[in-house]
Amino acid sequence: MSSLQVLCSGLPLRPLPENRGRWAGVPHAPVRTPGLSPAEEQLALRNALRYFPPDVQELLAPEFAQELRLYGHIYMYRFCPDIKMRAYPIEQYPCRTRAAAAIMHMIMNNLDPAVAQFPQELVTYGGNGQVFSNWAQFWLTMSYLSQMTEEQTLVMYSGHPLGLFPSSPGAPRLVITNGMVIPNYSSRTEYEKLFAMGVTMYGQMTAGSYCYIGPQGIVHGTVLTVLNAGRRYLGVKDLAGKVFVTSGLGGMSGAQAKAAVIVGCIGVIAEVDKAALMKRHQQGWLMEVTDSLDHCIERLREARKRKEVLSLGYHGNVVDLWERLVHELDTTGELLVDLGSDQTSCHNPFNGGYYPVQLGFAEAQSLMASDPAAFKSLVQESLRRQVSAINRLAKENFFFWDYGNAFLLEAQRAGADVEKKGANKTEFRYPSYVQHIMGDIFSQGFGPFRWVCTSGDPQDLAVTDELATSVLEEAIADGVNPAVKLQYVDNIRWIREAARHRLVVGSQARILYSDQKGRVAIAVAFNQAIARGKIKAPVVLSRDHHDVSGTDSPFRETSNIYDGSAFCADMAVQNFVGDAFRGATWVALHNGGGVGWGEVINGGFGLVLDGTQEAEQKARMMLSWDVSNGVARRCWSGNRKAYEIICQTMQDNKGLVVTLPQEVADERMLQQALRL
């Protein structure tokens, strides 16, 4: 078993580690079919070998070539570390700076088998959200971080550590870019080739920026989404006896079962991969499992009648489940479902993100590798069938929404009936959870704010929970508008429920939704607690890139930008750059994430709080920009809520000066001008 000291000493070359290949007993990424030409295969092999000295290249070349042909990518399985991969307490990392040790803590959490979807392929979640492209990059990055000083910055090109470069103590210690492909070449086909050649990488959102905190992050979002869907569409605050049907128990989607229990409803979640389903059952996130559709319906009826709180995992395809619910409705007149969504990795539908109903799991994986065109055709037929069943149920008192996973976008591309008449091209017949269900939260500055206690001590997390709750309660006591108060109240409830439901998987982390004032106040409270020794070690702040200003995503985060700029990515890039020079410990900019390659640009950050005055100043400056950038952008797109928020922010922050947009109220003037 390797030590952390060994892990930071560079590539293990003399002797080379034993090549144990793919491990048994852990999930593995689907086989990729990049379709490389012989010349491109040679280039992929050359790119992999350049990490190693000439005297070992002859040994490594044939096994790397075999990986490329067997799996469609060179992962370098020989160099998968022989260490228990997890987020170790920060003081155990052999580093010269605490910032570097915090980054190591976060990287190893992303690759923890309890957290990562396909740990040996360095995939954290989403089917293809990579931390690195291969294991050589991991070893080199850990070595660089162990050497780093406060006057150096590590630069990462799509998983590749370019090196440590001179900078200043106030600069980020790490700058990450993932998938920054020239727009005209940012297609799925080109991506498969570029990834296989080892020159670009899909970092999802928080995988490639080292900020993933396990499925807890999406538990929180799902809890708030289902609660608000009940309020908006069913007109109820109590979801007892209500049925929520969805699919996916893999990476982030594994959170849905726990969310159903927290909100007090009946959650039925379909999953084709038995290993993923059983992982959530063993973790206690899923209460019951069945592979019988008859039993699933029987159990659902029983729980509905008794108003049980239940999370039931159905080992099978969700299309079969939706079609069975239609059959029950048409034959008995009984509508057995109230709310529905989908959390398959539909941003990656043809390479393991979505499995067609016509085939079993193993058979589908085989066809995916042997005949990608036939597999794609079956996926699109399956999507059409799924939408057809949902459309039938939606004629009754049933409400479906898109969970931002590109489900409706891919269904539309497959020819499914998801059109919304008279709508713009970013809207479909079913709403997006971001703007329609969550209540336009981004315009108010609310988004998924996270922290990690690098001590690894649950007691530190308990202290942060108490502090965050106190901050939100004090804000309510000082007086806030009703919409903001509702968000705060929901999040206070969330934090109080979190410990009871054992949401920590991997690092000692927490998430809540907060606005600019709340984020800054929480950060300051944490930093002061670290200074007093109430929290024993630094705390890392981050967020999902899925936030107020981190993401330009026309089918999700920026779907309500109506000034014609929904497909522009200035906001995300400015977020990345602005966070960098306002104090972030590291920053990341990605192509893709959530809704897929070429569909979105997103930026993220990590900020280490260490109890110093400098850390507090950085938190105040950076967190303010990280929110107000997006609110100001929405203000300029004509959003009235954002306009009001940015006006208030200008009053509170004397350093903020924004020229506010003027209202164009006379539509007749526009029409007359155009006639001229």
Side-chain angles (χ1 to χ4, degrees):
M1 178 69 72
S2 299
S3 67
L4 290 175
Q5 190 73 47
V6 171
L7 206 61
C8 297
S9 60
L11 277 166
L13 298 172
R14 293 173 179 82
L16 287 171
E18 177 189 358
N19 183 13
R20 296 179 291 158
R22 277 192 168 194
W23 297 341
V26 296
H28 289 286
V31 173
R32 312 186 78 93
T33 52
L36 299 183
S37 68
E40 289 167 335
E41 286 185 337
Q42 190 174 60
L43 186 56
L45 188 57
R46 180 187 297 275
N47 288 343
L49 290 171
R50 63 187 173 178
Y51 289 104
F52 303 93
D55 63 313
V56 299
Q57 289 180 5
E58 189 172 352
L59 173 66
L60 296 176
E63 70 182 56
F64 287 176
Q66 184 182 39
E67 284 186 18
L68 181 62
R69 287 175 175 158
L70 285 178
Y71 310 120
H73 188 74
I74 300 171
Y75 296 105
M76 305 182 186
Y77 290 119
R78 176 189 288 271
F79 295 94
C80 191
D82 183 23
I83 188 172
K84 181 174 174 56
M85 191 71 71
R86 66 179 182 87
Y88 289 87
I90 189 172
E91 68 272 8
Q92 294 185 23
Y93 291 97
C95 295
R96 301 170 71 180
T97 74
R98 297 198 110 185
I103 294 166
M104 286 185 176
H105 180 94
M106 302 291 281
I107 288 173
M108 293 189 71
N109 184 68
N110 270 25
L111 294 170
D112 181 341
V115 173
Q117 187 177 11
F118 306 125
Q120 215 184 354
E121 287 78 40
L122 304 111
V123 173
T124 299
Y125 67 93
N128 60 348
Q130 304 283 148
V131 186
F132 300 101
S133 181
N134 58 58
W135 284 105
Q137 294 175 348
F138 168 82
W139 284 93
L140 290 173
T141 299
M142 297 296 278
S143 177
Y144 280 134
L145 288 169
S146 70
Q147 300 171 51
M148 177 190 288
T149 72
E150 293 286 357
E151 295 184 337
Q152 291 175 311
T153 293
L154 175 59
V155 176
M156 302 292 298
Y157 277 17
S158 290
H160 170 70
L162 195 65
L164 291 170
F165 293 83
S167 61
S168 67
R173 300 278 69 82
L174 174 66
V175 175
I176 305 166
T177 53
N178 284 310
M180 291 291 106
V181 173
I182 303 300
N184 278 354
Y185 304 92
S186 189
S187 67
R188 282 178 179 158
T189 302
E190 287 295 331
Y191 170 73
E192 289 298 332
K193 288 193 172 188
L194 292 170
F195 179 62
M197 288 190 290
V199 294
T200 198
M201 189 182 85
Y202 187 76
Q204 261 282 356
M205 289 190 161
T206 54
S209 61
Y210 320 148
C211 292
Y212 191 58
I213 61 166
Q216 178 187 167
I218 198 67
V219 173
H220 175 256
T222 308
V223 163
L224 295 185
T225 300
V226 177
L227 280 175
N228 282 304
R231 291 165 179 159
R232 178 162 185 167
Y233 297 123
L234 304 178
V236 298
K237 294 181 181 179
D238 182 2
L239 289 170
K242 302 300 181 183
V243 177
F244 171 49
V245 170
T246 182
S247 56
L249 285 166
M252 289 199 301
S253 61
Q256 297 180 105
K258 179 62 76 174
V261 172
I262 292 174
V263 302
C265 72
I266 300 155
V268 183
I269 307 97
E271 172 57 62
V272 294
D273 183 354
K274 188 172 183 178
L277 182 142
M278 295 311 296
K279 178 179 180 179
R280 297 306 177 199
H281 188 238
Q282 289 158 9
Q283 288 175 338
W285 287 45
L286 188 63
M287 294 167 66
E288 299 178 17
V289 298
T290 182
D291 59 5
S292 165
L293 200 49
D294 288 340
H295 178 72
C296 184
I297 295 299
E298 180 185 342
R299 187 71 183 90
L300 168 56
R301 273 199 170 97
E302 182 182 69
R304 194 164 172 258
K305 184 177 181 180
R306 296 178 179 177
K307 293 190 175 182
E308 284 183 61
V309 175
L310 174 67
S311 57
L312 174 62
Y314 167 58
H315 179 216
N317 197 291
V318 74
V319 180
D320 285 328
L321 178 56
W322 284 121
E323 290 180 342
R324 177 62 180 270
L325 290 167
V326 170
H327 173 76
E328 295 297 323
L329 174 64
D330 289 342
T331 57
T332 70
E334 189 176 13
L335 179 67
L336 295 175
V337 57
D338 303 283
L339 300 170
S341 191
D342 184 279
Q343 270 194 34
T344 54
S345 296
C346 250
H347 69 277
N348 182 35
F350 311 124
N351 197 41
Y354 181 97
Y355 283 85
V357 66
Q358 305 91 330
L359 303 175
F361 183 59
E363 190 181 2
Q365 285 191 312
S366 177
L367 185 67
M368 188 195 313
S370 64
D371 192 344
F375 181 81
K376 178 179 179 179
S377 178
L378 290 178
V379 164
Q380 293 189 319
E381 179 188 333
S382 188
L383 284 166
R384 291 192 295 270
R385 282 176 57 179
Q386 183 169 344
V387 168
S388 177
I390 290 167
N391 287 349
R392 169 66 187 94
L393 295 166
K395 292 178 181 179
E396 312 298 326
N397 193 34
F398 161 73
F399 301 92
F400 183 88
W401 68 85
D402 186 282
Y403 214 106
N405 61 336
F407 172 74
L408 291 180
L409 179 62
E410 287 302 330
Q412 179 190 59
R413 290 168 175 169
D417 182 13
V418 294
E419 179 186 357
K420 180 180 179 181
K421 293 180 181 178
N424 65 51
K425 59 184 177 181
T426 65
E427 290 185 294
F428 302 98
R429 72 186 294 168
Y430 300 109
S432 163
Y433 84 107
V434 173
Q435 301 299 348
H436 298 268
I437 294 175
M438 297 299 280
D440 200 13
I441 58 170
F442 292 159
S443 297
Q444 299 176 69
F446 279 87
F449 180 61
R450 300 173 168 182
W451 63 88
V452 175
C453 297
T454 64
S455 65
D457 187 342
Q459 184 55 41
D460 272 359
L461 184 61
V463 172
T464 62
D465 283 349
E466 291 172 10
L467 289 170
T469 302
S470 296
V471 166
L472 298 185
E473 288 175 338
E474 287 171 13
I476 292 172
D478 288 343
V480 292
N481 73 50
V484 171
K485 181 179 179 180
L486 180 62
Q487 290 288 339
Y488 281 174
V489 168
D490 280 349
N491 278 280
I492 290 169
R493 171 184 171 181
W494 157 261
I495 296 174
R496 287 176 174 160
E497 290 282 316
R500 186 168 69 86
H501 284 279
R502 298 186 301 165
L503 294 171
V504 168
V505 176
S507 60
Q508 293 294 316
R510 188 69 75 225
I511 180 175
L512 57 77
Y513 273 45
S514 185
D515 57 359
Q516 179 179 327
K517 282 186 177 180
R519 296 186 209 205
V520 172
I522 291 169
V524 170
F526 289 175
N527 197 61
Q528 291 175 353
I530 295 166
R532 296 194 306 269
K534 191 174 180 182
I535 298 173
K536 292 181 286 297
V539 170
V540 173
L541 302 183
S542 69
R543 55 163 168 73
D544 197 331
H545 301 202
H546 154 61
D547 198 6
V548 182
S549 75
T551 299
D552 282 298
S553 181
F555 294 99
R556 197 164 79 174
E557 286 82 358
T558 48
S559 60
N560 71 333
I561 298 292
Y562 298 132
D563 66 351
S565 69
F567 291 88
C568 300
D570 301 81
M571 182 178 73
V573 176
Q574 289 284 0
N575 174 266
F576 163 81
V577 175
D579 283 357
F581 64 72
R582 287 180 174 86
T585 308
W586 72 92
V587 288
L589 185 68
H590 300 181
N591 170 11
V595 294
W597 184 259
E599 305 285 359
V600 51
I601 299 294
N602 63 80
F605 75 87
L607 176 64
V608 177
L609 300 176
D610 60 5
T612 62
Q613 186 60 38
E614 291 80 7
E616 180 175 323
Q617 291 170 348
K618 288 178 178 180
R620 289 182 183 277
M621 184 73 70
M622 198 222 77
L623 293 174
S624 295
W625 162 252
D626 196 62
V627 175
S628 60
N629 170 37
V631 176
R633 191 266 179 99
R634 286 170 170 79
C635 167
W636 270 91
S637 75
N639 188 297
R640 188 68 197 176
K641 286 182 182 176
Y643 181 92
E644 293 168 357
I645 291 291
I646 203 70
C647 287
Q648 183 62 52
T649 305
M650 288 169 66
Q651 292 178 17
D652 296 342
N653 186 348
K654 295 179 181 178
L656 175 64
V657 179
V658 177
T659 302
L660 297 170
Q662 302 298 309
E663 186 175 0
V664 181
D666 192 342
E667 293 293 329
R668 289 177 300 174
M669 173 193 68
L670 299 177
Q671 294 168 7
Q672 183 176 358
L674 290 169
R675 282 197 295 271
L676 292 175

